[in-house]
mmCIF file of all heavy atoms in Angstrom:
data_model
loop_
_atom_site.group_PDB
_atom_site.id
_atom_site.type_symbol
_atom_site.label_atom_id
_atom_site.label_comp_id
_atom_site.label_asym_id
_atom_site.label_seq_id
_atom_site.Cartn_x
_atom_site.Cartn_y
_atom_site.Cartn_z
ATOM 1 N N ARG A 1040 5.157 11.087 12.850
ATOM 2 C CA ARG A 1040 4.798 12.499 12.798
ATOM 3 C C ARG A 1040 3.393 12.596 13.356
ATOM 4 O O ARG A 1040 2.439 12.118 12.757
ATOM 5 C CB ARG A 1040 4.862 12.998 11.347
ATOM 6 C CG ARG A 1040 6.236 12.782 10.731
ATOM 7 C CD ARG A 1040 6.371 13.606 9.467
ATOM 8 N NE ARG A 1040 5.451 13.170 8.429
ATOM 9 C CZ ARG A 1040 5.660 12.121 7.658
ATOM 10 N NH1 ARG A 1040 6.720 11.388 7.818
ATOM 11 N NH2 ARG A 1040 4.789 11.814 6.725
ATOM 12 N N LEU A 1051 -3.278 11.637 14.548
ATOM 13 C CA LEU A 1051 -2.614 10.809 13.547
ATOM 14 C C LEU A 1051 -1.140 10.711 13.847
ATOM 15 O O LEU A 1051 -0.516 11.698 14.242
ATOM 16 C CB LEU A 1051 -2.803 11.397 12.147
ATOM 17 C CG LEU A 1051 -4.214 11.511 11.609
ATOM 18 C CD1 LEU A 1051 -4.166 12.147 10.232
ATOM 19 C CD2 LEU A 1051 -4.855 10.136 11.529
ATOM 20 N N LEU A 1052 -0.589 9.552 13.624
ATOM 21 C CA LEU A 1052 0.856 9.368 13.681
ATOM 22 C C LEU A 1052 1.284 8.795 12.348
ATOM 23 O O LEU A 1052 0.934 7.664 12.008
ATOM 24 C CB LEU A 1052 1.251 8.399 14.820
ATOM 25 C CG LEU A 1052 2.737 8.087 14.949
ATOM 26 C CD1 LEU A 1052 3.501 9.353 15.356
ATOM 27 C CD2 LEU A 1052 2.959 7.004 15.997
ATOM 28 N N LEU A 1053 1.967 9.596 11.544
ATOM 29 C CA LEU A 1053 2.390 9.169 10.226
ATOM 30 C C LEU A 1053 3.786 8.582 10.350
ATOM 31 O O LEU A 1053 4.767 9.305 10.535
ATOM 32 C CB LEU A 1053 2.393 10.344 9.243
ATOM 33 C CG LEU A 1053 1.071 11.133 9.189
ATOM 34 C CD1 LEU A 1053 1.144 12.178 8.103
ATOM 35 C CD2 LEU A 1053 -0.087 10.187 8.957
ATOM 36 N N VAL A 1054 3.881 7.270 10.276
ATOM 37 C CA VAL A 1054 5.132 6.584 10.537
ATOM 38 C C VAL A 1054 5.921 6.443 9.248
ATOM 39 O O VAL A 1054 5.444 5.865 8.278
ATOM 40 C CB VAL A 1054 4.875 5.186 11.143
ATOM 41 C CG1 VAL A 1054 6.176 4.480 11.402
ATOM 42 C CG2 VAL A 1054 4.053 5.312 12.411
ATOM 43 N N CYS A 1055 7.113 6.974 9.221
ATOM 44 C CA CYS A 1055 7.999 6.879 8.062
ATOM 45 C C CYS A 1055 9.193 6.041 8.441
ATOM 46 O O CYS A 1055 10.039 6.497 9.206
ATOM 47 C CB CYS A 1055 8.460 8.263 7.598
ATOM 48 S SG CYS A 1055 7.138 9.342 7.094
ATOM 49 N N ALA A 1056 9.272 4.859 7.905
ATOM 50 C CA ALA A 1056 10.448 4.018 8.161
ATOM 51 C C ALA A 1056 11.605 4.493 7.316
ATOM 52 O O ALA A 1056 11.461 4.641 6.113
ATOM 53 C CB ALA A 1056 10.134 2.556 7.849
ATOM 54 N N THR A 1057 12.718 4.771 7.926
ATOM 55 C CA THR A 1057 13.854 5.253 7.155
ATOM 56 C C THR A 1057 14.455 4.112 6.337
ATOM 57 O O THR A 1057 14.430 2.968 6.719
ATOM 58 C CB THR A 1057 14.947 5.814 8.089
ATOM 59 O OG1 THR A 1057 15.321 4.785 9.013
ATOM 60 C CG2 THR A 1057 14.444 7.011 8.850
ATOM 61 N N ARG A 1062 13.527 -3.798 7.356
ATOM 62 C CA ARG A 1062 12.297 -4.224 8.043
ATOM 63 C C ARG A 1062 12.321 -5.698 8.374
ATOM 64 O O ARG A 1062 11.917 -6.123 9.443
ATOM 65 C CB ARG A 1062 11.111 -3.920 7.129
ATOM 66 C CG ARG A 1062 9.769 -4.389 7.741
ATOM 67 C CD ARG A 1062 8.628 -3.881 6.877
ATOM 68 N NE ARG A 1062 7.367 -4.199 7.510
ATOM 69 C CZ ARG A 1062 6.675 -5.287 7.269
ATOM 70 N NH1 ARG A 1062 7.146 -6.169 6.433
ATOM 71 N NH2 ARG A 1062 5.528 -5.509 7.874
ATOM 72 N N ARG A 1063 12.767 -6.530 7.443
ATOM 73 C CA ARG A 1063 12.672 -7.956 7.631
ATOM 74 C C ARG A 1063 13.680 -8.499 8.653
ATOM 75 O O ARG A 1063 13.549 -9.611 9.106
ATOM 76 C CB ARG A 1063 12.881 -8.675 6.287
ATOM 77 C CG ARG A 1063 11.740 -8.451 5.324
ATOM 78 C CD ARG A 1063 10.471 -9.050 5.864
ATOM 79 N NE ARG A 1063 9.342 -8.660 5.066
ATOM 80 C CZ ARG A 1063 8.134 -8.569 5.519
ATOM 81 N NH1 ARG A 1063 7.878 -8.798 6.775
ATOM 82 N NH2 ARG A 1063 7.150 -8.247 4.732
ATOM 83 N N THR A 1065 14.531 -6.838 11.525
ATOM 84 C CA THR A 1065 14.405 -6.187 12.825
ATOM 85 C C THR A 1065 13.489 -6.947 13.757
ATOM 86 O O THR A 1065 13.708 -6.929 14.973
ATOM 87 C CB THR A 1065 13.838 -4.771 12.646
ATOM 88 O OG1 THR A 1065 12.623 -4.828 11.892
ATOM 89 C CG2 THR A 1065 14.833 -3.895 11.915
ATOM 90 N N ALA A 1066 12.477 -7.629 13.264
ATOM 91 C CA ALA A 1066 11.535 -8.316 14.160
ATOM 92 C C ALA A 1066 10.879 -9.487 13.454
ATOM 93 O O ALA A 1066 10.569 -9.405 12.266
ATOM 94 C CB ALA A 1066 10.464 -7.339 14.650
ATOM 95 N N PRO A 1067 10.681 -10.627 14.142
ATOM 96 C CA PRO A 1067 9.988 -11.757 13.549
ATOM 97 C C PRO A 1067 8.529 -11.431 13.277
ATOM 98 O O PRO A 1067 7.957 -10.564 13.912
ATOM 99 C CB PRO A 1067 10.131 -12.868 14.614
ATOM 100 C CG PRO A 1067 11.197 -12.401 15.531
ATOM 101 C CD PRO A 1067 11.134 -10.891 15.501
ATOM 102 N N ARG A 1068 7.919 -12.135 12.350
ATOM 103 C CA ARG A 1068 6.492 -11.965 12.035
ATOM 104 C C ARG A 1068 5.740 -13.159 12.621
ATOM 105 O O ARG A 1068 6.181 -14.284 12.560
ATOM 106 C CB ARG A 1068 6.263 -11.879 10.530
ATOM 107 C CG ARG A 1068 6.921 -10.675 9.883
ATOM 108 C CD ARG A 1068 6.807 -10.753 8.383
ATOM 109 N NE ARG A 1068 5.428 -10.754 7.940
ATOM 110 C CZ ARG A 1068 4.739 -9.662 7.673
ATOM 111 N NH1 ARG A 1068 5.296 -8.483 7.812
ATOM 112 N NH2 ARG A 1068 3.498 -9.735 7.267
ATOM 113 N N ASP A 1111 3.921 -8.485 0.193
ATOM 114 C CA ASP A 1111 3.773 -8.061 1.581
ATOM 115 C C ASP A 1111 2.543 -7.184 1.675
ATOM 116 O O ASP A 1111 2.537 -6.053 1.178
ATOM 117 C CB ASP A 1111 5.019 -7.296 2.026
ATOM 118 C CG ASP A 1111 4.981 -6.949 3.518
ATOM 119 O OD1 ASP A 1111 3.910 -7.158 4.135
ATOM 120 O OD2 ASP A 1111 6.002 -6.474 4.041
ATOM 121 N N ARG A 1112 1.487 -7.686 2.294
ATOM 122 C CA ARG A 1112 0.218 -6.941 2.355
ATOM 123 C C ARG A 1112 0.291 -5.749 3.311
ATOM 124 O O ARG A 1112 -0.633 -4.944 3.334
ATOM 125 C CB ARG A 1112 -0.923 -7.881 2.764
ATOM 126 C CG ARG A 1112 -1.158 -8.972 1.717
ATOM 127 C CD ARG A 1112 -2.269 -9.936 2.088
ATOM 128 N NE ARG A 1112 -2.370 -10.988 1.082
ATOM 129 C CZ ARG A 1112 -3.055 -10.890 -0.042
ATOM 130 N NH1 ARG A 1112 -3.735 -9.770 -0.294
ATOM 131 N NH2 ARG A 1112 -3.087 -11.880 -0.909
ATOM 132 N N ALA A 1113 1.375 -5.625 4.069
ATOM 133 C CA ALA A 1113 1.558 -4.444 4.924
ATOM 134 C C ALA A 1113 2.234 -3.333 4.162
ATOM 135 O O ALA A 1113 2.366 -2.224 4.680
ATOM 136 C CB ALA A 1113 2.369 -4.830 6.156
ATOM 137 N N SER A 1114 2.657 -3.586 2.937
ATOM 138 C CA SER A 1114 3.363 -2.595 2.128
ATOM 139 C C SER A 1114 2.450 -2.052 1.042
ATOM 140 O O SER A 1114 1.941 -2.807 0.205
ATOM 141 C CB SER A 1114 4.602 -3.236 1.479
ATOM 142 O OG SER A 1114 5.121 -2.417 0.454
ATOM 143 N N GLY A 1115 2.241 -0.748 1.040
ATOM 144 C CA GLY A 1115 1.407 -0.139 0.013
ATOM 145 C C GLY A 1115 1.980 -0.325 -1.372
ATOM 146 O O GLY A 1115 1.258 -0.541 -2.339
ATOM 147 N N PHE A 1116 3.313 -0.261 -1.500
ATOM 148 C CA PHE A 1116 3.958 -0.451 -2.791
ATOM 149 C C PHE A 1116 3.767 -1.884 -3.296
ATOM 150 O O PHE A 1116 3.399 -2.096 -4.445
ATOM 151 C CB PHE A 1116 5.456 -0.122 -2.702
ATOM 152 C CG PHE A 1116 6.203 -0.396 -3.961
ATOM 153 C CD1 PHE A 1116 6.086 0.439 -5.057
ATOM 154 C CD2 PHE A 1116 7.027 -1.508 -4.083
ATOM 155 C CE1 PHE A 1116 6.767 0.171 -6.250
ATOM 156 C CE2 PHE A 1116 7.708 -1.797 -5.242
ATOM 157 C CZ PHE A 1116 7.585 -0.942 -6.346
ATOM 158 N N SER A 1117 4.011 -2.848 -2.420
ATOM 159 C CA SER A 1117 3.863 -4.240 -2.811
ATOM 160 C C SER A 1117 2.440 -4.551 -3.257
ATOM 161 O O SER A 1117 2.213 -5.212 -4.273
ATOM 162 C CB SER A 1117 4.260 -5.169 -1.647
ATOM 163 O OG SER A 1117 4.254 -6.530 -2.019
ATOM 164 N N MET A 1118 1.438 -4.052 -2.522
ATOM 165 C CA MET A 1118 0.064 -4.289 -2.878
ATOM 166 C C MET A 1118 -0.333 -3.586 -4.187
ATOM 167 O O MET A 1118 -1.131 -4.099 -4.953
ATOM 168 C CB MET A 1118 -0.856 -3.852 -1.736
ATOM 169 C CG MET A 1118 -0.823 -4.767 -0.531
ATOM 170 S SD MET A 1118 -1.442 -6.420 -0.922
ATOM 171 C CE MET A 1118 -3.188 -6.083 -1.211
ATOM 172 N N GLU A 1147 2.188 -13.281 4.355
ATOM 173 C CA GLU A 1147 1.031 -13.660 5.147
ATOM 174 C C GLU A 1147 0.392 -14.925 4.596
ATOM 175 O O GLU A 1147 0.582 -15.272 3.425
ATOM 176 C CB GLU A 1147 0.001 -12.525 5.160
ATOM 177 C CG GLU A 1147 0.449 -11.264 5.859
ATOM 178 C CD GLU A 1147 1.417 -10.431 5.047
ATOM 179 O OE1 GLU A 1147 1.585 -10.716 3.842
ATOM 180 O OE2 GLU A 1147 2.056 -9.516 5.595
ATOM 181 N N SER A 1204 12.395 -1.435 3.516
ATOM 182 C CA SER A 1204 11.661 -0.694 4.530
ATOM 183 C C SER A 1204 10.182 -0.710 4.184
ATOM 184 O O SER A 1204 9.804 -1.032 3.066
ATOM 185 C CB SER A 1204 12.179 0.759 4.601
ATOM 186 O OG SER A 1204 11.974 1.399 3.361
ATOM 187 N N CYS A 1205 9.345 -0.389 5.155
ATOM 188 C CA CYS A 1205 7.889 -0.394 4.927
ATOM 189 C C CYS A 1205 7.313 0.871 5.527
ATOM 190 O O CYS A 1205 7.309 1.042 6.752
ATOM 191 C CB CYS A 1205 7.253 -1.635 5.559
ATOM 192 S SG CYS A 1205 5.490 -1.770 5.279
ATOM 193 N N ASP A 1206 6.823 1.770 4.683
ATOM 194 C CA ASP A 1206 6.257 3.024 5.148
ATOM 195 C C ASP A 1206 4.767 2.850 5.418
ATOM 196 O O ASP A 1206 4.028 2.391 4.545
ATOM 197 C CB ASP A 1206 6.464 4.132 4.112
ATOM 198 C CG ASP A 1206 7.947 4.444 3.943
ATOM 199 O OD1 ASP A 1206 8.710 4.215 4.877
ATOM 200 O OD2 ASP A 1206 8.313 4.935 2.876
ATOM 201 N N ARG A 1207 4.350 3.225 6.617
ATOM 202 C CA ARG A 1207 2.944 3.077 6.985
ATOM 203 C C ARG A 1207 2.484 4.303 7.759
ATOM 204 O O ARG A 1207 3.281 5.130 8.186
ATOM 205 C CB ARG A 1207 2.722 1.819 7.827
ATOM 206 C CG ARG A 1207 2.982 0.541 7.047
ATOM 207 C CD ARG A 1207 2.727 -0.679 7.890
ATOM 208 N NE ARG A 1207 3.707 -0.842 8.956
ATOM 209 C CZ ARG A 1207 3.683 -1.837 9.841
ATOM 210 N NH1 ARG A 1207 2.735 -2.765 9.759
ATOM 211 N NH2 ARG A 1207 4.599 -1.933 10.775
ATOM 212 N N ILE A 1208 1.171 4.401 7.941
ATOM 213 C CA ILE A 1208 0.580 5.464 8.740
ATOM 214 C C ILE A 1208 -0.104 4.827 9.940
ATOM 215 O O ILE A 1208 -0.891 3.885 9.784
ATOM 216 C CB ILE A 1208 -0.440 6.275 7.926
ATOM 217 C CG1 ILE A 1208 0.248 7.013 6.770
ATOM 218 C CG2 ILE A 1208 -1.190 7.266 8.817
ATOM 219 C CD1 ILE A 1208 -0.708 7.783 5.868
ATOM 220 N N ALA A 1209 0.212 5.304 11.127
ATOM 221 C CA ALA A 1209 -0.438 4.819 12.330
ATOM 222 C C ALA A 1209 -1.481 5.849 12.737
ATOM 223 O O ALA A 1209 -1.156 7.014 12.947
ATOM 224 C CB ALA A 1209 0.590 4.629 13.441
ATOM 225 N N VAL A 1210 -2.733 5.429 12.840
ATOM 226 C CA VAL A 1210 -3.835 6.314 13.211
ATOM 227 C C VAL A 1210 -4.259 5.996 14.648
ATOM 228 O O VAL A 1210 -4.544 4.835 14.970
ATOM 229 C CB VAL A 1210 -5.046 6.145 12.267
ATOM 230 C CG1 VAL A 1210 -6.152 7.097 12.645
ATOM 231 C CG2 VAL A 1210 -4.606 6.365 10.819
ATOM 232 N N HIS A 1211 -4.281 7.009 15.488
ATOM 233 C CA HIS A 1211 -4.694 6.864 16.888
ATOM 234 C C HIS A 1211 -5.938 7.729 17.098
ATOM 235 O O HIS A 1211 -5.874 8.945 16.959
ATOM 236 C CB HIS A 1211 -3.588 7.291 17.829
ATOM 237 C CG HIS A 1211 -2.329 6.501 17.675
ATOM 238 N ND1 HIS A 1211 -2.145 5.272 18.246
ATOM 239 C CD2 HIS A 1211 -1.194 6.764 16.995
ATOM 240 C CE1 HIS A 1211 -0.946 4.794 17.949
ATOM 241 N NE2 HIS A 1211 -0.349 5.684 17.167
ATOM 242 N N VAL A 1217 -4.445 1.864 14.720
ATOM 243 C CA VAL A 1217 -4.421 0.978 13.553
ATOM 244 C C VAL A 1217 -3.310 1.419 12.621
ATOM 245 O O VAL A 1217 -3.066 2.622 12.437
ATOM 246 C CB VAL A 1217 -5.794 0.987 12.835
ATOM 247 C CG1 VAL A 1217 -6.133 2.365 12.304
ATOM 248 C CG2 VAL A 1217 -5.801 -0.040 11.699
ATOM 249 N N LEU A 1218 -2.607 0.453 12.035
ATOM 250 C CA LEU A 1218 -1.571 0.724 11.041
ATOM 251 C C LEU A 1218 -2.144 0.487 9.661
ATOM 252 O O LEU A 1218 -2.766 -0.546 9.385
ATOM 253 C CB LEU A 1218 -0.379 -0.197 11.267
ATOM 254 C CG LEU A 1218 0.542 0.093 12.452
ATOM 255 C CD1 LEU A 1218 1.567 -1.009 12.619
ATOM 256 C CD2 LEU A 1218 1.244 1.429 12.262
ATOM 257 N N ILE A 1219 -1.954 1.434 8.743
ATOM 258 C CA ILE A 1219 -2.419 1.273 7.377
ATOM 259 C C ILE A 1219 -1.267 1.552 6.410
ATOM 260 O O ILE A 1219 -0.389 2.362 6.687
ATOM 261 C CB ILE A 1219 -3.605 2.215 7.068
ATOM 262 C CG1 ILE A 1219 -3.243 3.676 7.370
ATOM 263 C CG2 ILE A 1219 -4.827 1.823 7.853
ATOM 264 C CD1 ILE A 1219 -4.342 4.664 7.032
ATOM 265 N N PRO A 1220 -1.239 0.858 5.274
ATOM 266 C CA PRO A 1220 -0.151 1.038 4.303
ATOM 267 C C PRO A 1220 -0.149 2.446 3.719
ATOM 268 O O PRO A 1220 -1.172 3.124 3.680
ATOM 269 C CB PRO A 1220 -0.461 -0.010 3.224
ATOM 270 C CG PRO A 1220 -1.355 -0.991 3.869
ATOM 271 C CD PRO A 1220 -2.154 -0.220 4.869
ATOM 272 N N ARG A 1221 1.014 2.872 3.286
ATOM 273 C CA ARG A 1221 1.189 4.165 2.648
ATOM 274 C C ARG A 1221 1.959 3.979 1.361
ATOM 275 O O ARG A 1221 2.859 3.150 1.266
ATOM 276 C CB ARG A 1221 2.013 5.081 3.586
ATOM 277 C CG ARG A 1221 2.155 6.500 3.111
ATOM 278 C CD ARG A 1221 3.160 7.249 3.976
ATOM 279 N NE ARG A 1221 4.485 7.260 3.366
ATOM 280 C CZ ARG A 1221 5.608 7.382 4.061
ATOM 281 N NH1 ARG A 1221 5.588 7.439 5.360
ATOM 282 N NH2 ARG A 1221 6.757 7.441 3.433
ATOM 283 N N LEU A 1222 1.571 4.706 0.320
ATOM 284 C CA LEU A 1222 2.264 4.630 -0.985
ATOM 285 C C LEU A 1222 2.650 6.043 -1.417
ATOM 286 O O LEU A 1222 1.801 6.906 -1.605
ATOM 287 C CB LEU A 1222 1.361 3.985 -2.045
ATOM 288 C CG LEU A 1222 1.984 3.816 -3.421
ATOM 289 C CD1 LEU A 1222 3.204 2.909 -3.377
ATOM 290 C CD2 LEU A 1222 0.942 3.217 -4.401
ATOM 291 N N ASP A 1223 3.948 6.283 -1.540
ATOM 292 C CA ASP A 1223 4.424 7.606 -1.932
ATOM 293 C C ASP A 1223 4.180 7.855 -3.414
ATOM 294 O O ASP A 1223 4.120 6.933 -4.224
ATOM 295 C CB ASP A 1223 5.914 7.735 -1.620
ATOM 296 C CG ASP A 1223 6.195 7.711 -0.131
ATOM 297 O OD1 ASP A 1223 5.280 8.011 0.642
ATOM 298 O OD2 ASP A 1223 7.321 7.362 0.238
ATOM 299 N N PRO A 1235 9.028 11.402 1.468
ATOM 300 C CA PRO A 1235 8.558 11.747 2.810
ATOM 301 C C PRO A 1235 9.434 11.263 3.929
ATOM 302 O O PRO A 1235 9.670 11.965 4.915
ATOM 303 C CB PRO A 1235 7.159 11.114 2.876
ATOM 304 C CG PRO A 1235 6.716 11.063 1.449
ATOM 305 C CD PRO A 1235 7.951 10.788 0.651
ATOM 306 N N SER A 1236 9.963 10.019 3.803
ATOM 307 C CA SER A 1236 10.807 9.485 4.878
ATOM 308 C C SER A 1236 12.074 10.296 5.020
ATOM 309 O O SER A 1236 12.567 10.534 6.113
ATOM 310 C CB SER A 1236 11.142 8.020 4.583
ATOM 311 O OG SER A 1236 9.968 7.229 4.602
ATOM 312 N N GLY A 1240 11.736 12.144 8.439
ATOM 313 C CA GLY A 1240 12.369 11.240 9.410
ATOM 314 C C GLY A 1240 11.406 10.874 10.498
ATOM 315 O O GLY A 1240 10.287 10.422 10.231
ATOM 316 N N ASN A 1241 11.776 11.117 11.759
ATOM 317 C CA ASN A 1241 10.893 10.806 12.889
ATOM 318 C C ASN A 1241 10.382 12.073 13.570
ATOM 319 O O ASN A 1241 10.087 12.054 14.765
ATOM 320 C CB ASN A 1241 11.622 9.912 13.879
ATOM 321 C CG ASN A 1241 11.865 8.533 13.305
ATOM 322 O OD1 ASN A 1241 11.001 7.979 12.653
ATOM 323 N ND2 ASN A 1241 13.045 7.991 13.547
ATOM 324 N N VAL A 1295 -1.061 14.355 2.305
ATOM 325 C CA VAL A 1295 -1.462 12.942 2.402
ATOM 326 C C VAL A 1295 -2.868 12.843 1.825
ATOM 327 O O VAL A 1295 -3.788 13.554 2.264
ATOM 328 C CB VAL A 1295 -1.449 12.436 3.848
ATOM 329 C CG1 VAL A 1295 -2.113 11.059 3.938
ATOM 330 C CG2 VAL A 1295 -0.011 12.343 4.366
ATOM 331 N N LEU A 1305 -4.452 1.497 -3.259
ATOM 332 C CA LEU A 1305 -3.599 2.692 -3.291
ATOM 333 C C LEU A 1305 -3.050 2.890 -4.695
ATOM 334 O O LEU A 1305 -2.763 1.929 -5.407
ATOM 335 C CB LEU A 1305 -2.440 2.527 -2.301
ATOM 336 C CG LEU A 1305 -2.824 2.418 -0.819
ATOM 337 C CD1 LEU A 1305 -1.579 2.277 0.038
ATOM 338 C CD2 LEU A 1305 -3.643 3.605 -0.384
ATOM 339 N N SER A 1326 1.920 11.639 -0.474
ATOM 340 C CA SER A 1326 1.740 10.227 -0.222
ATOM 341 C C SER A 1326 0.256 9.904 -0.189
ATOM 342 O O SER A 1326 -0.586 10.755 0.036
ATOM 343 C CB SER A 1326 2.389 9.831 1.114
ATOM 344 O OG SER A 1326 2.452 8.435 1.264
ATOM 345 N N MET A 1327 -0.090 8.627 -0.447
ATOM 346 C CA MET A 1327 -1.475 8.190 -0.403
ATOM 347 C C MET A 1327 -1.608 7.082 0.640
ATOM 348 O O MET A 1327 -0.772 6.202 0.730
ATOM 349 C CB MET A 1327 -1.967 7.669 -1.758
ATOM 350 C CG MET A 1327 -3.453 7.347 -1.789
ATOM 351 S SD MET A 1327 -4.013 6.888 -3.460
ATOM 352 C CE MET A 1327 -5.805 6.832 -3.174
#
Side-chain angles (χ1 to χ4, degrees):
R1040 303 194 296 280
L1051 297 179
L1052 178 65
L1053 308 185
V1054 180
C1055 299
T1057 57
R1062 178 172 186 267
R1063 291 296 171 208
T1065 54
R1068 296 172 62 89
D1111 186 351
R1112 296 179 184 275
S1114 165
F1116 175 75
S1117 185
M1118 287 296 292
E1147 294 77 11
S1204 61
C1205 183
D1206 295 335
R1207 293 182 291 180
I1208 296 177
V1210 182
H1211 300 279
V1217 62
L1218 286 172
I1219 55 177
R1221 186 189 97 206
L1222 182 61
D1223 293 337
S1236 296
N1241 292 320
V1295 170
L1305 296 181
S1326 191
M1327 186 174 189

